[in-house]
Amino acid sequence: METKDNVNNSNSNFFKTKGILFLIIFLILILSAFVFLFLRPKNQSSQEHHSELKTTTDYSIEKVVCYSSAYGINKEETQARWDLDLSQYTDIAIYLNLQNDISSLYLDNITFSNTEGTTYHLINLPIEDFGKTPTNNIEVTTSERIDFGNSSPITLRYLNQNFKENCVITDIENPLVFDGSLLKRGKVTLSSLKNTVSFTIHLIDTSGQEFTYPIEVSIPLENKETGETIYSGSYIEENFLTDAYFYVENQ
């Protein structure tokens, strides 16, 4: 027979279990709210913002051309080996269709998909230097905004600077060529160099109206269909965009 004490204990255990269940549900709701507000992707709010804007056919992106290669700084050369600091770079040219004159052009919101490294940079590149190997270990200052003139194309350099320091190459019988072939000789895997750079292009017309376009550029290193890779010295990729129209800000 169930006694009064047993009934009380059963009720007590029931309410304790129910209380714990409610507490767990409450904590899950709090955690979900925290994730949504603070840990959602940075560009999600940007995507939501642009989904509310209209586009214009006056300004658009025609194509993106990327040239990828590599270089190294030779710190020591002996009869038995070379000692290098390796860097990989990709020059990016963004061609715009401009139906009207503009007064200024800049980009911001620069991010990299690979967050493990600290050697990534995006810098302004004079168009005459596009595809040219740096001659020395250039000093790079990280900037949150890059300003340009008022014409196309936009030319940039993605730089993975000194990502592999003190890289020893011992097969010195073959000449050392300072291009993408260094990566193969330095036993650098292409998968370790994968990255995507994202940023927002801002365009201001002569009336002061602002237009924007968020863009992602995957750093191209190979074409698996053709077998071309940066290991051969360099790799070029050209992508034409359709319907890449700028968004109208401050409507």
Side-chain angles (χ1 to χ4, degrees):
M1 175 180 292
E2 190 173 23
T3 64
K4 186 175 181 180
D5 289 339
N6 289 336
V7 171
N8 290 337
N9 288 336
S10 297
N11 290 337
S12 176
N13 291 334
F14 171 76
F15 286 114
K16 285 181 179 179
T17 302
K18 194 171 183 180
I20 293 173
L21 180 61
F22 279 123
L23 179 60
I24 292 174
I25 294 174
F26 176 75
L27 291 175
I28 291 174
L29 291 174
I30 292 296
L31 181 61
S32 300
F34 176 82
V35 170
F36 177 78
L37 292 175
F38 300 103
L39 300 183
R40 58 179 175 171
K42 292 181 179 180
N43 63 350
Q44 182 174 335
S45 59
S46 175
Q47 293 172 350
E48 293 172 353
H49 169 67
H50 285 106
S51 66
E52 301 172 355
L53 299 178
K54 68 177 182 180
T55 59
T56 176
T57 57
D58 291 339
Y59 308 107
S60 62
I61 296 178
E62 176 188 351
K63 65 178 179 179
V64 179
V65 179
C66 294
Y67 173 91
S68 295
S69 190
Y71 72 99
I73 303 299
N74 193 3
K75 300 194 301 181
E76 181 184 0
E77 181 177 345
T78 67
Q79 293 183 347
R81 68 176 192 173
W82 287 299
D83 186 355
L84 307 174
D85 288 343
L86 297 181
S87 299
Q88 188 271 315
Y89 69 95
T90 296
D91 291 348
I92 304 168
I94 303 174
Y95 290 81
L96 306 178
N97 285 315
L98 304 176
Q99 300 301 318
N100 298 313
D101 293 334
I102 62 173
S103 61
S104 63
L105 190 65
Y106 71 94
L107 61 85
D108 61 6
N109 299 323
I110 303 168
T111 59
F112 303 98
S113 62
N114 193 336
T115 57
E116 295 181 1
T118 59
T119 58
Y120 312 123
H121 307 278
L122 188 69
I123 58 178
N124 191 354
L125 180 72
I127 192 169
E128 61 269 19
D129 291 336
F130 189 92
K132 291 183 179 180
T133 303
T135 56
N136 50 32
N137 197 8
I138 59 175
E139 292 291 333
V140 176
T141 57
T142 302
S143 175
E144 297 180 356
R145 166 172 167 160
I146 302 177
D147 288 276
F148 300 91
N150 57 358
S151 61
S152 173
I154 298 171
T155 49
L156 302 158
R157 172 162 289 174
Y158 161 84
L159 180 60
N160 188 354
Q161 189 178 39
N162 294 338
F163 68 87
K164 186 173 184 179
E165 298 180 328
N166 304 314
C167 176
V168 175
I169 297 178
T170 57
D171 59 331
I172 61 174
E173 294 82 8
N174 298 314
L176 195 64
V177 182
F178 288 85
D179 59 15
S181 62
L182 286 176
L183 302 177
K184 186 174 184 179
R185 297 183 68 176
K187 297 180 173 55
V188 178
T189 63
L190 298 185
S191 59
S192 67
L193 297 175
K194 287 185 176 180
N195 208 347
T196 298
V197 58
S198 305
F199 48 87
T200 302
I201 302 174
H202 296 257
L203 181 157
I204 313 296
D205 69 10
T206 53
S207 70
Q209 176 65 57
E210 181 180 5
F211 304 87
T212 61
Y213 191 86
I215 188 170
E216 293 183 349
V217 179
S218 296
I219 301 305
L221 303 168
E222 62 179 332
N223 186 323
K224 293 183 178 180
E225 293 182 0
T226 64
E228 297 176 90
T229 75
I230 193 175
Y231 286 154
S232 64
S234 62
Y235 176 70
I236 301 176
E237 195 167 275
E238 183 178 47
N239 293 310
F240 287 86
L241 279 66
T242 58
D243 301 326
Y245 300 114
F246 276 71
Y247 295 95
V248 183
E249 297 284 345
N250 304 320
Q251 301 177 46

